[in-house]
Amino acid sequence: MTKGQNFLKGIIKENPVLVLVLGTCPTLATSTSVSSALGMGAAATVVLLCSNMVISALRRVIPDKVRIPCYIVLIAGFVTMVQMLVKAFAPALDQSLGIYLPLIVVNCIILGRAEMFANKNKVVDSAIDALGMGAGFTLALLLMATIREVFGNGTWMGIEIPVLVDNNISIMTMAPGGFFVFGCLIALVNKLSGGKNAKKSFGCAGCPSAELCQKAQQYKEEM
């Protein structure tokens, strides 16, 4: 896989939101407005980039038995730094993201890339993977937020859209509207790909815990 393919896979073939269906909670919660979606996407990308690079650099140092706790500690440290920076320089964004900013620590995308890619590849490749996944996550959030804000509030980035601002569909900014848009986008991506991405991603090969499952199965067989 070339570096270009490594980057693009996170945007198209292995989009973390619309193909791998990871990070669903922050996706639905922060996609009610474009500004919140961009903020969440940027914050998650920074954490993903930093954690991937550090985990890749330390992959031969971190003991295999305690790698998951070590990953979580590293990710939590970067999330804390990002949260402090957002609080200091973008308090409005911090208020709009609320609890979902610190909850980046448990975002499946970040831990999944650490386990599935960063601990098996070099620092540069891990950084490219993080940027691609972060871009894919941000683009999916932006697309969802655009649809929900335009039709739900009649605005885009706070800019009022004539006609729609007085005839908005308020349910689009609520949980049912979020699930509806999310499902429609997943169906659209699945249709455009002919179902190939979904079949590949939802198998064992596309699961971050595939290696752990195999080891557990071997242990049971030995017992």
Side-chain angles (χ1 to χ4, degrees), residues 1 5-21 132-133 136 189 193 196-202:
M1 183 182 294
Q5 291 173 331
N6 186 22
F7 176 79
L8 290 175
K9 78 178 190 299
I11 300 176
I12 304 171
K13 290 186 178 181
E14 295 181 21
N15 186 285
V17 176
L18 301 179
V19 177
L20 301 181
V21 198
M133 287 291 168
V189 170
S193 65
K196 295 179 181 179
N197 289 340
K199 292 177 182 178
K200 180 180 178 181
S201 301
F202 285 104

Side-chain angles (χ1 to χ4, degrees), residues 71-83:
Y71 297 165
I72 294 174
V73 170
L74 288 169
I75 293 168
F78 289 121
V79 170
T80 301
M81 288 188 284
V82 169
Q83 186 181 9

Side-chain angles (χ1 to χ4, degrees), residues 31-94:
S31 61
T32 53
S33 68
V34 173
S35 57
S36 296
L38 289 175
M40 173 56 72
T45 301
V46 171
V47 174
L48 183 57
L49 176 62
C50 295
S51 61
N52 258 27
M53 292 178 68
V54 173
I55 289 169
S56 176
L58 298 176
R59 68 186 187 279
R60 301 186 188 281
V61 178
I62 299 174
D64 187 63
K65 291 183 178 180
V66 294
R67 68 184 187 281
I68 300 299
C70 290
Y71 297 165
I72 294 174
V73 170
L74 288 169
I75 293 168
F78 289 121
V79 170
T80 301
M81 288 188 284
V82 169
Q83 186 181 9
M84 293 174 68
L85 290 171
V86 172
K87 282 181 178 292
F89 298 103
L93 177 61
D94 177 67

Side-chain angles (χ1 to χ4, degrees), residues 40-215:
M40 173 56 72
T45 301
V46 171
V47 174
L48 183 57
L49 176 62
C50 295
S51 61
N52 258 27
M53 292 178 68
V54 173
I55 289 169
S56 176
L58 298 176
R59 68 186 187 279
R60 301 186 188 281
V61 178
I62 299 174
D64 187 63
K65 291 183 178 180
V66 294
R67 68 184 187 281
I68 300 299
C70 290
Y71 297 165
I72 294 174
V73 170
L74 288 169
I75 293 168
F78 289 121
V79 170
T80 301
M81 288 188 284
V82 169
Q83 186 181 9
M84 293 174 68
L85 290 171
V86 172
K87 282 181 178 292
F89 298 103
L93 177 61
D94 177 67
Q95 187 175 3
S96 66
L97 293 179
I99 189 63
Y100 296 100
L101 183 58
L103 281 178
I104 292 176
V105 174
V106 292
N107 192 314
C108 300
I109 300 171
I110 297 173
L111 185 59
R113 297 322 294 174
E115 173 68 12
M116 190 174 179
F117 195 93
N119 74 334
K120 299 181 181 69
N121 294 274
K122 296 180 179 179
V123 176
V124 175
D125 292 329
S126 297
I128 295 173
D129 175 78
L131 291 173
M133 287 291 168
F137 179 57
T138 305
L139 287 173
L141 280 174
L142 179 60
L143 183 57
M144 279 192 65
T146 296
I147 296 172
R148 295 181 68 186
E149 184 179 354
V150 167
F151 290 101
N153 289 329
T155 62
W156 191 84
M157 285 287 288
I159 302 171
E160 293 187 354
I161 301 174
V163 181
L164 289 178
V165 71
D166 296 320
N167 299 277
N168 55 65
I169 308 171
S170 59
I171 197 173
M172 295 297 285
T173 60
M174 302 178 187
F179 278 106
F180 175 75
V181 175
F182 190 42
C184 288
L185 290 178
I186 291 177
L188 178 61
V189 170
N190 190 33
K191 178 66 176 178
L192 293 176
S193 65
K196 295 179 181 179
N197 289 340
K199 292 177 182 178
K200 180 180 178 181
S201 301
F202 285 104
C204 289
C207 178
S209 301
E211 185 178 350
L212 294 175
C213 289
Q214 291 174 0
K215 289 182 179 179

